[in-house]
């Protein structure tokens, strides 16, 4: 049938009237007869609708993203398609026909997004009329259509015109106890979707939307509370079909949609829920307490299938309900009325005897009950320890009731701090002393302890000796039990407990470490061994060096022994296990990096073995690079002898990796070896060890002259550059045995190849640095005629370069030459002719234009400093040839109030003024001069004097946004404050994060703070000068700032006055503040 449709669709493109009209009529017949005809098998009807869906998406309206071509359909045909597909979606069919109706519903919403209300005014009235009057099947179809319309088909204006009627209709379905629970759940789901539409226009219509929501919730909230209080029917057995299963699943689906809707309301209008938060909290808590037993039967003792949804996308299994309610209870804990009441209860019970039955202990009981390992998890973890590790390190997307309980305990710890730990200890005593408690309950206690103390660790919070020793007793017990998951948890909890106990467990910590090492070698369970390898990181970081260092060799040996027992292929596929092994090895090496050059230690061999097995894993290669860089840096600090020993140990392995990678086609292995070699050379001694260049240059030469892989060319280029930096004579004195070329000739050949346009910018990004280093180290005498050829090749390649890092690399060749001979550079470039897009141009014009256009995006402290000094020297030349060059200046801001969409932006690209080159240099130097904004309240702008201590970075680097760019203008603080005041007045509440101020980041959700904090700290503390997530992009560079101030003061006043008319007001204020007086 699809082939027939394609042929008909092709005929609709015919230029002849008769065939085209016949095809249109045939399309109408097919859609009417095939999609709606009940005698056609369900699968064919569904296929027909799917074809229709594709047809509608690609041809119905130009407003669709999927639109491809215009198929001329008559109004009658379009009307017929609309009516037919709506009748299919809202038909009275049952059973398998729901799949057909679901597909038809989507097509209805898609057409409606283009045609409603102008071309299809009867759509919503028809649907809204069917819901209260139709049969259950028609009601279901109509609700499904309505759901798709709210989510996909209606824009904001269309939604608000029908919002009240729509909400009233679905409310009537939801509260009708005579209807199926799944229909009522679908109605609640539609109500929740309404809040997505409300949220989109909150900023512009806050008061009206809040009033509408308040009115709607006044009716819905009592119903929600009623549904939450309804008890579930008895748990049906797996073989029970029909009524019991349908009733069980239906009520779970309804409860789930209620809780999801409450969570949505809280995210948009939290202040509206705040008064009801105590009853919502207590109701949720009561239900979670009641559901413990059925949850235990279904998922902890048995292995019922969970995480299931019906054909309408409504989840209906108990694990989903528990998960949503745990999240909602955690959200309620932040509501001020709930928190106030719970704090009052804690204060009333403070020091009293019945603290064992306090709400905190009861909440711990609920959390431990749902944090138990399910039967499904138990089976998966036993088969694959990698899954166990991914859950343990929170790098999995699998959010379960167990992880939700961990988040709940963390939230309690953030609020109550060590009081939460005390409540957990009270419950732990009851669990570990109870004879009827299973090993899963005991493991769950230690799991939530792990989560709580892990969060304490993130914020440098410790617990007291009483808590430490109390938990240590249970940990010792767990480590001796026969259940492997309980043993593994005992070891994991011991590590984090030792780290958060301060000095309290320092006498016990060594024994924990010894037990861990013993378990790695002797325990029968791989889960326990992996847990112990993971926890080594905790002990190494918290125990004194005097305890850990004597065990360093034993620790590395234990990791090596375990990895040697693993199948190489399986280990290579176990990403989380590989990362854990490398992390533990890295920490053990950091105890004393000299272990790497100690005979027989095997630390480096193990590192390279793990690296070779996981060379395709980006995270692992980054860890290996980081670990190796630590080692090389430590050896370099120890002196040349240690560095020589390191080279003797690692160079054979690295060179061998190039051969293995070439033979096996393992590009990732070769790239990793190139990265490590670049690190080794970057931290090399000066001079390099004898024979260093002769050992690695043959391989590097072959790779750099033949490979096209950017991931290999960049580190290879860096290695040659580092060798020139540390020991240029050894490079120049080396001679290739095969070609007879000297090291200088080989370097020139490498640079020449990388400057070819066949090598992309990304791959050649480091060639400029290599060329600059070669020019500086070899000098004009050694390079002879090759120098001008080299510089000419750099200038020619710069003309076509597009990638920012590559452009910077090439420009710095000339910038570094300008530091010592700016006039020579200008004279040379003036003689070069380059064929570009505009025909033959002067090399001076090409290079200077490219240089000044890209100076504002330079990165790196040293590079920016060199660029600034080079530009200042060019400015000081006052060469008339430079003054004649015109370059781009300030952005011309369009004087239009039209909203600039992406398509309009493409049609009207940014335009810039054209200014003389010296003026552009002055602008760039002033942009680099960090300085406060010249406002009337700024004492600097009033006094006209300059004080170096007032200089603070106004952007990340010279790579930041230049002064003329609109986005660089400061925000109006008064406007911001007035907006905030307006919002606060609207909310009129002091509910913290239960105010009506939506937050884009909620740490209470399943995003661990550890990941966010690590991401924020990952950059900006690596010495690169790049920004971290939460920090400024660049710190002060007083040396460059001081140079700029001195330079500008030395420029003749008449020279500055020539170009001052081309400066912005802010630039003039900067310049005047530096040089004094009016400019």
């Amino acid at each position: 049938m699809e082939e027939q449709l394609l042929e008909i669709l092709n005929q609709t493109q015919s230029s002849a009237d008769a065939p085209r009209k016949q095809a249109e009529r045939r399309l109408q017949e097919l859609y009417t007869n095939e999609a709606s005809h009940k005698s056609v098998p369900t699968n064919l009807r569904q296929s027909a609708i799917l074809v229709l869906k594709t047809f509608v998406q690609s041809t119905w309206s130009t407003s669709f993203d999927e639109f491809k071509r215009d198929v001329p359909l008559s109004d009658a045909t379009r009307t017929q398609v609309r009516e037919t597909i709506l009748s299919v979606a809202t038909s009275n069919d049952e059973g398998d026909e729901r799949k057909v109706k679901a597909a038809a519903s989507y097509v209805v919403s898609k057409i409606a997004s283009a045609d409603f209300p102008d071309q299809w005014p009867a759509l919503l009235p028809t649907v809204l009329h069917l819901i209260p009057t139709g049969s259950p099947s028609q009601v279901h179809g109509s609700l499904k259509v309505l759901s798709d319309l709210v989510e996909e088909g209606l824009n904001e204006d269309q939604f608000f015109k029908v919002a009240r009627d729509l909400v009233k209709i679905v409310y009537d379905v939801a509260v009708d106890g005579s209807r199926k629970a799944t229909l009522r759940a679908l109605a609640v789901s539609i109500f929740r979707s309404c809040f997505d539409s409300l949220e989109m226009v909150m900023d512009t219509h806050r008061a009206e939307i809040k009033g509408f929501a308040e009115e709607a919730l006044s009716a819905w909230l009592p119903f929600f509370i009623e549904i939450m209080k309804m008890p579930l029917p008895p748990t049906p057995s797996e073989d029970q079909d029909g009524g019991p299963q349908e009733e069980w699943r239906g009520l779970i689906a309804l409860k789930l949609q209620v809780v999801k809707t409450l969570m949505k309301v809280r995210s948009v209008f939290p202040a509206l829920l705040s008064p009801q938060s105590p009853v919502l909290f207590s109701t949720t808590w009561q239900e979670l307490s009641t559901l413990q037993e059925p949850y235990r039967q279904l998922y902890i003792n048995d292995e019922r299938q969970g995480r299931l949804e019906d054909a309408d996308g409504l989840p209906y299994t108990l694990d989903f309900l528990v998960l949503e309610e745990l999240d909602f209870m955690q959200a309620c804990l932040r509501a001020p009325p709930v928190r106030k009441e719970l704090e009052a209860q804690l204060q009333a019970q403070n020091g009293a005897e019945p603290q064992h039955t306090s709400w905190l202990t009861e909440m711990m009981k609920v959390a431990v009950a749902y944090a138990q390992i399910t039967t499904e998890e138990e089976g998966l973890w036993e088969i694959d320890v990698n899954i166990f590790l991914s859950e343990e390190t929170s790098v999995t997307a699998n959010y379960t009731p167990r992880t939700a309980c961990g988040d709940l305990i963390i939230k309690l710890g953030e609020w109550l701090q060590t009081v939460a730990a005390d409540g957990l200890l009270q419950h732990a005593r009851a669990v570990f002393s109870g004879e009827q408690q299973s090993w899963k309950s005991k493991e769950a206690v230690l799991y939530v302890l792990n989560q709580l103390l892990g969060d304490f660790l993130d914020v440098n919070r410790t617990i007291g000796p009483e808590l430490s020793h109390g938990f240590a007793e249970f940990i010792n017990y767990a480590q001796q039990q026969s259940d492997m998951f309980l043993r593994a948890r005992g070891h994991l909890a011991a590590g984090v407990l030792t780290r958060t106990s301060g000095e309290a467990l320092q006498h016990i910590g060594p024994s924990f470490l010894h037990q861990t090492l013993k378990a790695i070698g002797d325990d029968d369970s791989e889960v326990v061994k992996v847990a112990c390898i993971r926890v080594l990181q905790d002990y190494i970081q918290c125990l004194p060096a005097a305890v850990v260092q004597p065990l360093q060799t034993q620790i590395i040996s234990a990791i090596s022994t375990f990895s040697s027992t693993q199948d190489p292929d399986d280990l290579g596929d176990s990403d989380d296990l590989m990362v854990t092994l490398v992390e533990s090895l890295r920490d053990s090496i950091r105890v004393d990096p000299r272990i790497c050059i100690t005979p027989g230690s095997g630390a480096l061999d193990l590192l390279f073995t793990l690296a070779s097995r996981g060379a395709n894993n980006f995270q692992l290669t980054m860890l290996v690079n980081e670990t190796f860089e630590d080692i090389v840096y430590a050896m370099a600090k120890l002196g040349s002898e240690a560095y020589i020993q390191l080279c003797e140990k690692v160079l054979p392995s690295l060179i061998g990796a190039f051969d293995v990678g070439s033979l096996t086609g393992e590009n990732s292995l070769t790239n990793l070896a190139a990265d490590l070699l670049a690190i080794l050379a970057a931290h090399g001694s000066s001079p390099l060890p004898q024979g260093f260049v002769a050992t690695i240059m043959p391989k590097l030469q072959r790779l750099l002259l033949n490979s096209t892989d950017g991931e290999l060319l960049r580190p290879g280029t860096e290695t040659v550059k580092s060798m020139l930096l540390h020991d240029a004579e050894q490079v120049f004195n080396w001679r290739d045995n095969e070609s007879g070329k000297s090291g200088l000739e080989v370097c020139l050949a490498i640079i020449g190849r990388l400057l070819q346009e066949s090598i992309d910018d990304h791959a050649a990004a480091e060639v400029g640095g290599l060329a600059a280093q070669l020019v500086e180290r070899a000098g004009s005498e050694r390079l002879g005629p090759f120098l001008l050829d080299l510089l000419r090749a750099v200038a020619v390649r710069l003309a076509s370069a597009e990638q920012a890092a590559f452009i910077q690399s090439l420009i710095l060749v000339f910038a570094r030459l300008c530091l010592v001979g700016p006039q020579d550079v200008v004279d040379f470039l003036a003689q070069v002719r380059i064929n570009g897009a505009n025909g033959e141009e002067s090399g001076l014009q090409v290079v200077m234009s490219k240089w000044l256009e890209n100076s504002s995006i330079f990165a790196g402290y040293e590079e920016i400093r060199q660029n600034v000094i080079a530009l200042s020297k060019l400015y000081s030349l006052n060469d008339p040839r430079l003054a004649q060059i015109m370059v781009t200046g300030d952005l011309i801001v369009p004087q239009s109030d039209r909203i600039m969409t992406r398509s309009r932006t493409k049609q009207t690209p940014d335009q810039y003024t054209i200014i003389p080159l010296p003026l552009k240099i002055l602008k760039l130097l002033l942009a680099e001069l960090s300085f406060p904004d010249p406002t009337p309240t700024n004492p600097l702008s009033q006094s006209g004097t300059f004080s170096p201590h007032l200089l603070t970075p106004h952007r990340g680097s010279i790579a930041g946004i230049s002064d003329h760019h609109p986005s660089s203008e400061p925000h109006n603080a008064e406007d911001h404050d007035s907006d905030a005041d307006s919002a606060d007045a609207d909310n009129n509440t002091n509910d913290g994060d239960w105010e009506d101020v939506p937050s884009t980041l909620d740490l209470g959700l399943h995003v661990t703070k550890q990941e966010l904090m690590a991401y924020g700290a990952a950059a900006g503390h690596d010495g690169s000068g790049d920004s971290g997530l939460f920090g400024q992009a660049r710190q002060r560079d007083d040396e460059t700032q001081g140079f700029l101030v001195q330079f500008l003061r030395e420029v003749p006043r008449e020279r500055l006055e020539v170009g001052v008319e081309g400066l912005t007001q802010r630039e003039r204020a900067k310049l005047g503040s530096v040089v004094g007086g009016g400019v």
Side-chain angles (χ1 to χ4, degrees):
M1 183 174 67
E2 292 185 18
E3 289 80 6
Q4 184 182 5
L5 279 172
L6 289 172
E7 178 59 27
I8 295 172
L9 290 174
N10 186 50
Q11 291 175 8
T12 62
Q13 304 294 305
S14 174
S15 57
D17 286 345
R20 186 177 67 251
K21 290 180 179 179
Q22 184 179 359
E24 289 177 14
R25 286 194 298 271
R26 184 59 182 146
L27 269 178
Q28 179 180 350
E29 294 171 2
L30 278 173
Y31 293 142
T32 304
N33 296 333
E34 298 296 332
S36 63
H37 206 294
K38 297 182 182 180
S39 63
V40 177
T42 299
N43 64 323
L44 293 182
R45 295 181 66 199
Q46 190 175 4
S47 177
I49 292 178
L50 292 176
V51 172
L52 174 61
K53 181 187 78 171
T54 303
F55 172 71
V56 167
Q57 288 175 330
S58 59
T59 65
W60 195 271
S61 171
T62 56
S63 64
F64 294 166
D65 292 337
E66 306 91 342
F67 181 81
K68 295 179 180 178
R69 62 189 183 281
D70 186 26
V71 175
L73 294 177
S74 66
D75 290 343
T77 300
R78 288 177 179 266
T79 301
Q80 181 67 29
V81 171
R82 294 188 201 105
E83 293 176 353
T84 302
I85 201 66
L86 180 60
S87 68
V88 173
T90 58
S91 67
N92 202 23
D93 298 328
E94 297 280 358
D96 291 339
E97 300 299 323
R98 296 188 70 169
K99 296 179 180 179
V100 175
K101 293 167 66 176
S105 173
Y106 177 82
V107 178
V108 169
S109 67
K110 194 68 180 178
I111 294 175
S113 67
D115 293 358
F116 178 82
D118 297 335
Q119 285 81 38
W120 201 357
L123 171 62
L124 263 182
T126 302
V127 173
L128 295 179
H129 174 73
L130 272 175
I131 291 174
T133 61
S135 67
S137 181
Q138 288 177 315
V139 172
H140 170 264
S142 300
L143 286 174
K144 186 61 181 169
V145 168
L146 197 57
S147 176
D148 287 338
L149 281 174
V150 172
E151 291 182 7
E152 302 286 347
L154 302 180
N155 60 35
E156 292 88 345
D157 293 336
Q158 295 166 354
F159 171 77
F160 288 121
K161 288 178 182 177
V162 298
R164 293 186 185 278
D165 293 338
L166 188 153
V167 170
K168 177 64 169 63
I169 290 290
V170 296
Y171 173 79
D172 290 340
V173 175
V175 299
D176 189 348
S178 64
R179 295 190 182 274
K180 282 185 176 182
T182 49
L183 279 182
R184 301 171 70 191
L186 187 55
V188 176
S189 174
I190 295 170
F191 180 61
R192 185 180 81 251
S193 297
C194 292
F195 282 89
D196 293 325
S197 299
L198 295 174
E199 190 175 17
M200 286 190 290
V201 290
M202 274 282 289
D203 292 339
T204 53
H205 301 86
R206 177 177 289 273
E208 298 91 333
I209 291 173
K210 188 175 181 181
F212 171 76
E214 195 167 3
E215 177 187 337
L217 288 173
S218 64
W220 282 86
L221 278 177
F223 163 69
F224 288 161
I225 295 172
E226 176 189 347
I227 294 299
M228 293 177 71
K229 289 182 177 180
M230 288 180 63
L232 285 176
T235 309
S237 61
E238 259 188 306
D239 54 358
Q240 268 186 300
D241 293 323
Q245 282 283 7
E246 186 175 338
E247 183 183 4
W248 168 264
R249 293 175 177 178
L251 188 52
I252 288 178
L254 178 56
K255 283 174 170 285
L256 242 164
Q257 292 308 311
V258 166
V259 178
K260 278 179 170 287
T261 304
L262 288 170
M263 286 289 283
K264 183 63 183 181
V265 172
R266 181 204 167 266
S267 72
V268 184
F269 301 106
L272 296 182
L273 276 190
S274 188
Q276 299 292 330
S277 58
V279 65
L280 291 171
F281 174 75
S282 60
T283 303
T284 305
W285 190 352
Q286 180 60 45
E287 173 145 274
L288 283 170
S289 301
T290 304
L291 295 179
Q292 288 181 43
E293 184 56 29
Y295 182 84
R296 185 180 64 82
Q297 291 177 3
L298 292 175
Y299 302 108
I300 297 172
N301 294 345
D302 200 356
E303 194 175 358
R304 289 284 185 94
Q305 192 170 358
R307 309 181 78 83
L308 297 177
E309 297 179 347
D310 65 12
D312 297 323
L314 300 178
Y316 61 82
T317 49
L318 184 62
D319 58 328
F320 267 138
L321 176 60
V322 167
L323 184 60
E324 289 294 333
E325 291 188 339
L326 284 168
D327 275 351
F328 184 62
M329 186 165 73
Q330 180 192 143
C332 287
L333 277 174
R334 298 197 287 270
V338 173
R339 185 163 287 195
K340 183 178 180 181
E341 173 61 25
L342 295 178
E343 285 176 344
Q345 291 184 27
L346 279 180
Q347 290 173 358
Q349 293 177 340
N350 187 25
E353 186 62 30
Q355 60 179 321
H356 290 280
T357 57
S358 71
W359 68 263
L360 183 57
T361 307
E362 289 300 310
M363 187 168 289
M364 293 297 174
K365 181 179 179 181
V366 169
V368 168
Y370 291 111
Q372 295 180 64
I373 300 173
T374 64
T375 305
E376 180 186 17
E377 290 171 329
E378 186 181 354
L380 289 173
W381 296 352
E382 190 171 358
I383 294 171
D384 189 350
V385 294
N386 196 65
I387 300 176
F388 169 77
L389 268 179
S390 67
E391 301 280 353
E392 192 57 38
T393 52
S394 300
V395 294
T396 176
N398 187 26
Y399 191 42
T400 64
R402 178 177 170 91
T403 48
C405 289
D407 289 348
L408 175 62
I409 296 299
I410 287 172
K411 190 58 61 181
L412 287 171
E414 291 173 350
W415 170 30
L416 302 173
Q417 301 182 13
T418 55
V419 175
D422 186 66
L424 179 58
L425 180 60
Q426 301 298 331
H427 182 60
R429 286 171 177 157
V431 170
F432 278 85
S433 62
E435 295 181 0
Q436 302 301 318
Q437 297 289 345
S438 67
W439 68 264
K440 288 189 177 182
S441 297
K442 297 170 184 176
E443 191 277 340
V445 169
L446 297 182
Y447 167 77
V448 296
L449 172 66
N450 228 138
Q451 302 302 303
L452 177 63
L453 297 185
D455 187 68
F456 281 7
L457 198 60
D458 290 340
V459 294
N460 297 318
R461 182 176 294 131
T462 59
I463 60 175
E466 182 180 350
L467 288 172
S468 300
H469 287 97
F471 287 121
E473 177 185 347
F474 305 133
I475 286 171
N476 274 319
Y477 168 85
Q479 290 179 350
Q480 310 305 320
Q481 301 309 298
S482 59
D483 306 290
M484 62 177 176
F485 291 110
L486 181 55
R487 292 201 309 278
R489 180 57 54 194
H491 286 289
L492 289 166
V496 71
L497 179 66
T498 305
R499 290 185 68 182
T500 52
S501 296
E503 299 294 325
L505 294 184
Q506 287 297 306
H507 63 290
I508 302 178
S511 66
F512 279 157
L513 177 54
H514 282 285
Q515 291 172 25
T516 297
L517 289 172
K518 186 175 185 300
I520 295 174
D522 299 342
D523 202 285
D524 296 331
S525 168
E526 275 206 357
V527 170
V528 176
K529 291 182 178 182
V530 167
C532 289
I533 291 173
R534 168 67 183 83
V535 85
L536 284 172
Q537 300 167 34
D538 292 326
Y539 294 129
I540 290 171
Q541 293 178 43
C542 71
L543 293 178
V547 173
V548 179
Q549 190 164 346
L551 298 172
Q552 186 182 23
T553 301
Q554 187 179 347
I555 292 171
I556 294 173
S557 177
I559 299 171
S560 178
T561 301
F562 173 82
S563 62
S564 66
T565 62
Q566 304 298 300
D567 181 88
D569 293 334
D570 292 342
L571 191 59
D573 294 334
S574 302
D575 292 346
D576 296 295
L577 176 55
M578 290 286 287
V579 168
T580 297
L581 291 171
V582 174
E583 285 178 338
S584 296
L585 177 61
R586 174 201 61 195
D587 289 355
S588 63
I589 289 174
R590 283 176 175 174
V591 173
D592 184 357
R594 290 175 297 179
I595 191 73
C596 295
I597 56 175
T598 301
S601 73
L604 279 172
D605 293 336
L606 177 58
L607 179 65
F608 290 160
T609 299
L610 294 173
S612 65
R613 292 178 180 176
N616 289 311
N617 183 334
F618 176 77
Q619 183 185 3
L620 185 77
T621 56
M622 290 299 99
L623 274 173
V624 170
N625 288 343
E626 173 193 331
T627 304
F628 189 65
E629 187 166 14
D630 288 347
I631 295 168
V632 177
Y633 180 73
M635 295 301 103
K637 285 186 65 177
L638 290 174
S640 59
E641 186 61 34
Y643 182 78
I644 290 172
Q645 292 181 43
L646 179 65
C647 291
E648 291 173 348
K649 206 169 184 64
V650 303
L651 281 179
S653 299
L654 295 180
I655 299 303
F658 285 125
D659 294 328
V660 172
S662 300
L663 289 172
T664 61
E666 284 284 344
N667 292 335
S668 56
L669 181 60
T670 306
N671 294 346
L672 176 61
D675 286 335
L676 298 179
L677 198 57
I679 292 170
L680 183 66
H683 297 281
S685 59
S686 298
L688 291 168
Q690 191 63 33
F692 186 94
V693 174
T695 302
I696 67 175
M697 199 60 174
K699 299 291 184 185
L700 274 182
Q701 173 191 210
R702 179 172 56 83
L703 293 170
L704 292 173
L705 292 177
N706 295 283
S707 176
T708 57
D709 185 357
E711 300 304 317
L712 179 62
L713 292 177
R714 286 198 316 280
T717 309
E718 288 181 359
T719 303
V720 179
K721 181 179 69 175
S722 296
M723 290 192 296
L724 285 171
L725 173 66
H726 292 299
D727 196 345
E729 288 303 317
Q730 189 176 160
V731 175
F732 297 149
N733 292 333
W734 170 78
R735 187 168 293 276
D736 181 30
N737 292 329
E738 294 184 7
S739 64
K741 291 182 179 179
S742 67
L744 177 61
E745 292 175 297
V746 170
C747 289
L748 287 169
I750 291 171
I751 293 171
R753 183 187 182 245
L754 295 178
L755 287 175
Q756 294 175 6
E757 294 200 14
S758 58
I759 305 297
D760 66 70
D761 291 8
H762 178 72
E766 300 297 330
V767 69
L770 174 58
Q773 198 66 243
L774 181 65
V775 170
E776 290 180 6
R777 296 294 170 174
S780 58
E781 293 184 3
R782 184 172 258 157
L783 283 171
F786 295 119
L787 175 59
L788 297 182
D789 292 339
L790 172 61
L791 296 179
R792 187 177 292 104
V794 172
V796 171
R797 186 65 180 89
L798 180 59
S800 60
E802 297 179 354
Q803 205 253 355
F806 185 44
I807 292 172
Q808 174 178 321
S809 168
L810 297 179
I811 289 173
L812 282 173
V813 175
F814 297 106
R816 289 164 73 167
L817 287 173
C818 284
L819 299 180
V820 293
Q823 190 66 63
D824 293 336
V825 172
V826 172
D827 292 343
F828 165 75
L829 289 175
Q831 300 171 12
V832 175
R833 308 305 295 176
I834 297 175
N835 291 320
N838 301 321
E840 189 176 75
E841 296 180 272
S842 163
L844 189 62
Q845 171 76 47
V846 171
V847 171
M848 290 301 160
S849 298
K850 203 88 168 191
W851 187 342
L852 298 186
E853 287 172 9
N854 290 276
S855 280
S856 61
I857 59 173
F858 272 28
Y861 276 105
E862 188 60 32
E863 290 80 358
I864 292 172
R865 184 181 295 115
Q866 291 173 355
N867 184 57
V868 166
I869 297 172
L871 289 176
S872 68
K873 289 185 176 292
L874 288 173
Y875 186 82
S876 298
L877 289 177
N878 202 13
D879 191 306
R881 292 171 296 183
L882 294 177
Q884 293 172 3
I885 297 175
M886 306 300 288
V887 295
T888 57
D890 296 338
L891 176 69
I892 300 174
V893 180
Q895 300 300 316
S896 171
D897 56 359
R898 295 183 68 188
I899 297 174
M900 293 301 293
T901 63
R902 278 179 291 183
S903 59
R904 285 176 184 163
T905 302
K906 289 180 180 179
Q907 295 168 4
T908 57
D910 290 340
Q911 293 184 329
Y912 294 85
T913 59
I914 303 300
I915 60 176
L917 182 144
L919 177 58
K920 178 69 172 183
I921 292 179
L922 184 59
K923 282 177 168 287
L924 289 169
L925 295 179
L926 289 171
E928 179 58 24
L929 184 64
S930 299
F931 199 72
D933 290 326
T935 61
T937 58
N938 187 342
L940 223 148
S941 63
Q942 295 174 355
S943 65
T945 59
F946 174 80
S947 178
H949 76 273
L950 291 174
L951 288 177
T952 54
H954 69 278
R955 59 190 176 89
S957 64
I958 204 165
I961 301 169
S962 53
D963 298 331
H964 60 259
H965 198 286
S967 63
S968 68
E969 295 300 319
H971 295 292
N972 189 323
E974 293 180 2
D975 291 346
H976 177 78
D977 291 343
S978 65
D979 291 343
D981 293 341
S982 165
D984 289 342
D986 181 56
N987 296 331
N988 194 24
T989 179
N990 189 29
D991 287 352
D993 62 356
W994 275 68
E995 292 180 353
D996 289 342
V997 182
S999 173
T1000 57
L1001 181 64
D1002 186 353
L1003 292 178
L1005 300 178
H1006 187 52
V1007 179
T1008 65
K1009 285 177 292 184
Q1010 182 180 7
E1011 292 171 332
L1012 290 173
M1013 292 170 72
Y1015 179 69
H1021 297 88
D1022 58 359
S1024 66
D1026 294 330
S1027 65
L1029 181 63
F1030 307 113
Q1032 289 183 326
R1034 181 175 162 215
Q1035 302 300 316
R1036 284 175 60 102
D1037 184 355
D1038 292 335
E1039 184 178 343
T1040 302
Q1041 297 298 312
F1043 170 83
L1044 279 170
V1045 171
Q1046 187 66 30
F1047 168 74
L1048 291 171
R1049 287 177 175 173
E1050 291 176 353
V1051 175
R1053 179 61 61 93
E1054 58 274 13
R1055 177 85 192 280
L1056 292 175
E1057 290 175 348
V1058 170
V1060 74
E1061 293 300 324
L1063 298 179
T1064 66
Q1065 183 177 357
R1066 186 167 185 264
E1067 289 167 344
R1068 292 184 195 180
K1070 275 189 179 185
L1071 184 58
S1073 298
V1074 172
V1075 303
V1079 181

